[in-house]
Amino acid sequence: MNGPVRLRRADAADAPRIAAIHRESRAAAMPWLAVVHTPEEDLDFFARQVLPRARVWVADVEGRVAGFVALEGNRIEHLYIDPEYWRQGVGHLLLSRCLEQDGPLELWTFQRNERARRFYEAHGFVAAQITDGSANEEREPDVLYVLDRHGTGRGAP
């Protein structure tokens, strides 16, 4: 990485870059995952649904968005890093922003996404539910991770 990473709240102008990172990161990390939307549909989804309703932060490196995280309530809905910036601490910084909120956190990831699973487990998340994927549009088995910072032994309320 050439310069320092600055976290900032995303705005509407970030939607194209966020949609591109989402698509590029998924293709690089999960080449086996079904692609169920066009690039135009991805852009529409992030511009019209994610950005208006979630708290979205981007990691900015010298004016270039290197990754993003979207948090709705206590659920991390999206955490994606441009593959060019993998393993440089960007994901950790974005997750740390989510960890600043009180209470438990939860997120879903695909069972076969070993890189993501190791990342979340290294940050204290625990698998709480495993599914056959019938409830997600990719029809890929997934896992719900929870992080309970209150010590009750359960993550999701």
Side-chain angles (χ1 to χ4, degrees):
M1 196 168 353
N2 294 331
V5 179
R6 181 175 71 90
L7 297 186
R8 63 172 175 80
R9 285 297 292 263
D11 59 38
D14 294 311
R17 182 72 180 128
I18 287 170
I21 289 172
H22 178 259
R23 191 168 198 83
E24 293 162 9
S25 181
R26 286 168 64 108
M30 301 173 284
W32 39 262
L33 186 63
V35 177
V36 296
H37 295 287
T38 66
E40 295 78 20
E41 289 170 331
D42 287 345
L43 175 56
D44 186 67
F45 173 69
F46 283 101
R48 295 180 187 261
Q49 293 184 47
V50 175
L51 283 167
R53 87 173 172 235
R55 289 173 285 160
V56 182
W57 291 273
V58 295
D60 188 294
V61 179
E62 296 183 341
R64 178 174 170 82
V65 174
F68 73 97
V69 65
L71 183 66
E72 287 188 52
N74 72 326
R75 181 170 286 174
I76 297 171
E77 293 289 346
H78 304 279
L79 175 55
Y80 290 96
I81 310 304
D82 179 331
E84 181 181 331
Y85 294 94
W86 283 358
R87 302 191 59 76
Q88 296 182 41
V90 175
H92 175 77
L93 286 172
L94 288 164
L95 182 59
S96 294
R97 178 56 52 103
C98 297
L99 295 173
E100 292 174 1
Q101 80 165 28
D102 290 330
L105 287 174
E106 63 183 35
L107 60 92
W108 287 93
T109 194
F110 297 110
Q111 289 182 39
R112 289 200 286 170
N113 190 350
E114 290 296 326
R115 174 180 280 140
R117 293 184 72 177
R118 283 191 307 270
F119 174 78
Y120 294 123
E121 290 168 5
H123 286 86
F125 285 81
V126 176
Q129 181 182 352
I130 294 177
T131 78
D132 64 3
S134 61
N136 65 55
E137 62 186 353
E138 294 88 352
R139 300 294 183 246
E140 179 68 31
D142 54 7
V143 55
L144 174 67
Y145 275 98
V146 295
L147 177 65
D148 177 8
R149 292 171 288 174
H150 296 295
T152 61
R154 303 262 326 141

